[in-house]
Amino acid sequence: MTLSKYNEVMENLVITDEMRARLLENIEKEVSADGAGTNEIGSDGSKDEPLSFQKIDVNEFEKKKNEKESGKIIKFVARYGSRVAVFALVALGAFSVVRLVGLDGRKSMETSAPAAYEETAEATAESAAGDAYESQDSAVYDGAADLFDEEPKMAESEEATPIFGESKATDSANNAGKQNDASEALEPMEDNAIESEATEAAETADSEDMLAVGKSADELTITMAGDVLLHTPVAEAGMDENGNYNFDFLFDDTRDEIESADLALVNQEVILGGKELGVTGYPSFNAPQELGDSLVNAGFDVICHATNHALDKGKQGILNTIDFWRNKYSQITVVGINGSQEEYDTVKMVEKNGITVAILNYTYGTNGISNPSDMPYAVNTLEEDKVISDLKYAEENADFTIVCPHWGTEYNHDLDGMQEKWTEIFRKYGADLVIGTHPHVIEPIEMLEDNEEGITNNHGDGDMLVYYSIGNFVNWTSGTGEGIADRMVGGLANITLKRDENGEVCIDDYGIRALVCHVQSGYENISVYPLSEYTDAMAEKNEIIDQDSKFTKEYCEKLCDDIWGNLWK
């Protein structure tokens, strides 16, 4: 939760007379139960009472409640004691505030001065108990600041996820975690109604956050980008004069759309073996791992690595890539390559907005390079037994299944026999959405429908949406001649899922954002633009014209019309 949201919550809190009475009644019960104080003598000669014995002035409470600054909120919590603050804040429905100020450790409320507040208490010890509130500002705030390692963040990024993000931190999962924390922290309190109010308030807060951006807890937006190819000119465009790499510029003109999706996928065509294996282009690719940094910076959540180039650098390329994602971005879900048999046997799932999505990724092959003898599980390939087993598991355990196959014939806009065969298998065993890559050019989009009215969840031979190929995202091929211009056109597949009245997750809407890759020589002179924002003047400067003179903006638009019809407009 950002500080602005923190202040907004506190500013709008309302204490009813019933809540005030309940608060004071419970405080009196606690006072009676605690017994005598510690009677320790403070530095000013006064006796230091336990926090639960400190008197609560309701008018002062109301005054402090209206102060907006987060620092004053923290000082108020520290001054009036952990139990009173927690009880009051939970009663007011500000559960996220309580979580920020120390309940993550799940300390029992029986402790008179929880450890989370010890630093605050030490920081205020030098101030006389009778000093004015404002005279304590510096000491109390400094101590309370130690409660945070950094500025508070949104709940979605608070917890690290397992290796390769097998279960991404989600709104619903975080909400459940908050409720569990609240339940444990409040167990000693007699009034279970307050716990119920806290749970309801947390759920309401999450729902209001979703509504603020026009989404519901049962809606999910998905986007996927095509092949990210690091041809030599692309790699050179990302290297500065000191030999350092950064590829953020590739995504400057699509980042907003990628980040806005609840779930963003990309086909990372080349392995991230790193500079130690040598940065190389076609035909045996290897990318610096800084490309992975830029994928994350662009907003991608899921990286598809099962491609025909996955084994271009052999076993070490796979291991380096796995280590990179595991050690640096464990929150990212990586599919298609595996570091163990267990990972190979695992169907990766992502949960978001209360919807569980299974994501399967396979390649038709690896350019004749076999998996390492001691890593037969390294790359997922289109093996029928494996695919069917994964689909069955996904059907039983996920709300929605996406398959990302690396298939088809390169530079061919039409379907081939392999795609037709696998489309039937995917549909028969319950896939809901198929987004294909590998041909390096765009191919048709088709909604395969059953006889039931509307688009429903596929439980076998049902409705299934297929993007046969979304083309390249970024590339600068060395090829020349007719058809090279086609490789510069790709698409962002955009799909919206919703839970229907039967509780099943279905495709509610879908489309494609046409893209064009713009290439010019020089540092950071390559980017990918929505075709709708690309101009004739820009097209004239695209150096791919030197390799295919037919390239124009009009040529790209006609290609999209021919393949996608009006779906891209």
Side-chain angles (χ1 to χ4, degrees):
M1 174 176 285
T2 61
L3 289 178
S4 60
K5 183 68 175 178
Y6 186 104
N7 291 333
E8 178 184 346
V9 171
M10 293 305 297
E11 182 179 8
N12 291 286
L13 297 178
V14 176
I15 304 176
T16 65
D17 291 337
E18 180 183 356
M19 294 168 70
R20 181 185 292 107
R22 187 182 296 168
L23 170 65
L24 295 177
E25 178 183 350
N26 278 275
I27 291 172
E28 290 175 2
K29 291 179 181 179
E30 284 194 52
V31 169
S32 299
D34 278 347
T38 60
N39 292 322
E40 294 180 358
I41 306 299
S43 59
D44 61 346
S46 62
K47 292 185 177 181
D48 188 17
E49 294 181 322
L51 289 174
S52 59
F53 273 67
Q54 295 177 4
K55 296 181 179 179
I56 306 300
D57 185 287
V58 174
N59 292 330
E60 184 71 355
F61 185 95
E62 190 76 2
K63 175 181 176 183
K64 299 304 178 220
K65 182 265 293 182
N66 289 323
E67 296 186 39
K68 298 181 180 180
E69 295 83 351
S70 60
K72 292 182 179 179
I73 295 169
I74 296 171
K75 289 183 286 188
F76 176 54
V77 172
R79 186 181 183 194
Y80 287 107
S82 61
R83 279 180 287 182
V84 174
V86 170
F87 187 85
L89 291 172
V90 170
L92 295 172
F95 183 79
S96 54
V97 176
V98 178
R99 194 165 186 259
L100 282 174
V101 295
L103 283 185
D104 255 347
R106 301 186 179 184
K107 299 294 182 181
S108 171
M109 295 299 293
E110 294 288 65
T111 305
S112 62
Y117 291 95
E118 289 179 359
E119 294 180 68
T120 303
E122 291 173 1
T124 56
E126 297 178 0
S127 300
D131 284 353
Y133 179 85
E134 293 299 327
S135 70
Q136 301 177 15
D137 283 0
S138 178
V140 176
Y141 187 80
D142 289 344
D146 291 338
L147 296 175
F148 307 96
D149 293 330
E150 55 187 358
E151 183 178 81
K153 297 180 179 179
M154 294 298 290
E156 185 175 351
S157 62
E158 286 178 5
E159 297 182 357
T161 59
I163 291 175
F164 294 165
E166 292 181 12
S167 179
K168 181 177 178 181
T170 66
D171 292 347
S172 60
N174 283 334
N175 192 42
K178 293 176 185 177
Q179 294 172 21
N180 291 336
D181 286 348
S183 299
E184 291 192 30
L186 291 171
E187 278 182 357
M189 293 189 176
E190 297 178 5
D191 198 339
N192 293 329
I194 297 300
E195 179 180 341
S196 177
E197 290 173 16
T199 301
E200 182 178 353
E203 293 173 343
T204 300
D206 281 348
S207 297
E208 289 177 350
D209 286 343
M210 298 289 293
L211 290 173
V213 293
K215 299 176 182 177
S216 72
D218 290 318
E219 179 177 329
L220 187 73
T221 57
I222 298 170
T223 193
M224 179 165 175
D227 304 340
V228 175
L229 279 157
L230 208 73
H231 290 106
T232 298
V234 181
E236 292 174 345
M239 184 175 67
D240 65 19
E241 58 186 9
N242 297 316
N244 300 312
Y245 287 100
N246 187 307
F247 297 97
D248 288 354
F249 61 92
L250 297 175
F251 308 95
D252 283 348
D253 298 286
T254 53
R255 181 175 289 106
D256 288 347
E257 185 163 357
I258 294 166
E259 287 183 333
S260 68
D262 294 318
L263 190 63
L265 300 80
V266 63
N267 184 63
Q268 180 47 50
E269 180 79 21
V270 305
I271 206 72
L272 304 179
K275 289 177 283 190
E276 70 175 79
L277 300 183
V279 175
T280 53
Y282 182 83
S284 183
F285 289 96
N286 181 52
Q289 294 180 339
E290 286 82 353
L291 179 57
D293 296 330
S294 294
L295 293 175
V296 176
N297 294 340
F300 290 110
D301 308 293
V302 179
I303 313 296
C304 297
H305 266 300
T307 78
N308 57 307
H309 291 289
L311 289 172
D312 279 2
K313 294 301 176 181
K315 176 180 177 180
Q316 197 59 50
I318 293 288
L319 293 176
N320 287 4
T321 303
I322 289 173
D323 287 345
F324 168 75
W325 291 116
R326 174 187 292 145
N327 297 330
K328 194 167 186 180
Y329 297 109
S330 62
Q331 80 277 16
I332 297 298
T333 301
V334 174
V335 292
I337 59 173
N338 313 284
S340 67
Q341 184 66 45
E342 182 180 1
E343 287 178 13
Y344 177 82
D345 294 335
T346 299
V347 172
K348 301 292 179 67
M349 297 190 184
V350 174
E351 186 179 358
K352 182 75 175 178
N353 299 357
I355 295 174
T356 300
V357 179
I359 304 172
L360 314 181
N361 179 215
Y362 314 93
T363 178
Y364 72 92
T366 51
N367 291 344
I369 306 172
S370 300
N371 277 323
S373 59
D374 58 345
M375 289 181 68
Y377 44 74
V379 181
N380 292 348
T381 56
L382 285 166
E383 299 173 9
E384 195 163 331
D385 289 345
K386 162 70 171 170
V387 172
I388 292 174
S389 175
D390 289 349
L391 285 168
K392 287 181 176 179
Y393 183 89
E395 176 66 20
E396 294 175 0
N397 294 277
D399 296 313
F400 193 86
T401 301
I402 302 174
V403 182
C404 301
H406 206 65
W407 62 355
T409 302
E410 289 183 322
Y411 322 125
N412 180 16
H413 293 290
D414 299 318
L415 311 187
D416 65 13
M418 173 175 58
Q419 289 169 299
E420 292 173 352
K421 168 194 169 181
W422 283 105
T423 295
E424 291 181 4
I425 293 173
F426 297 153
R427 188 181 183 196
K428 180 177 180 179
Y429 291 97
D432 299 289
L433 171 63
V434 176
I435 307 178
T437 58
H438 174 63
H440 305 304
V441 294
I442 61 174
E443 292 183 346
I445 300 167
E446 183 178 16
M447 173 60 80
L448 302 174
E449 298 185 59
D450 56 22
N451 296 324
E452 296 184 24
E453 183 179 352
I455 300 174
T456 57
N457 190 281
N458 180 19
H459 298 297
D461 291 321
D463 297 332
M464 184 176 79
L465 175 62
V466 186
Y467 293 77
Y468 288 99
S469 173
I470 54 177
N472 291 329
F473 182 83
V474 62
N475 85 109
W476 192 345
T477 177
S478 59
T480 59
E482 185 176 352
I484 295 300
D486 296 29
R487 306 185 199 181
M488 311 310 287
V489 177
L492 276 177
N494 292 316
I495 304 97
T496 300
L497 309 183
K498 281 189 178 180
R499 194 178 295 278
D500 66 14
E501 63 276 8
N502 299 317
E504 296 202 325
V505 175
C506 309
I507 294 172
D508 182 66
D509 193 17
Y510 65 94
I512 188 82
R513 170 81 73 180
L515 305 173
V516 57
C517 182
H518 182 86
V519 297
Q520 285 184 264
S521 301
Y523 181 57
E524 297 190 349
N525 262 359
I526 299 173
S527 191
V528 179
Y529 294 90
L531 183 54
S532 60
E533 298 174 12
Y534 202 58
T535 66
D536 290 326
M538 295 167 70
E540 291 174 2
K541 295 180 180 179
N542 195 324
E543 293 182 21
I544 204 67
I545 292 175
D546 297 335
Q547 297 167 239
D548 185 349
S549 60
K550 290 186 177 180
F551 179 87
T552 63
K553 179 187 177 183
E554 183 181 1
Y555 180 92
C556 297
E557 291 174 334
K558 184 178 185 306
L559 178 62
C560 293
D561 287 340
D562 291 344
I563 304 300
W564 293 331
N566 292 323
L567 195 58
W568 73 278
K569 295 180 177 178

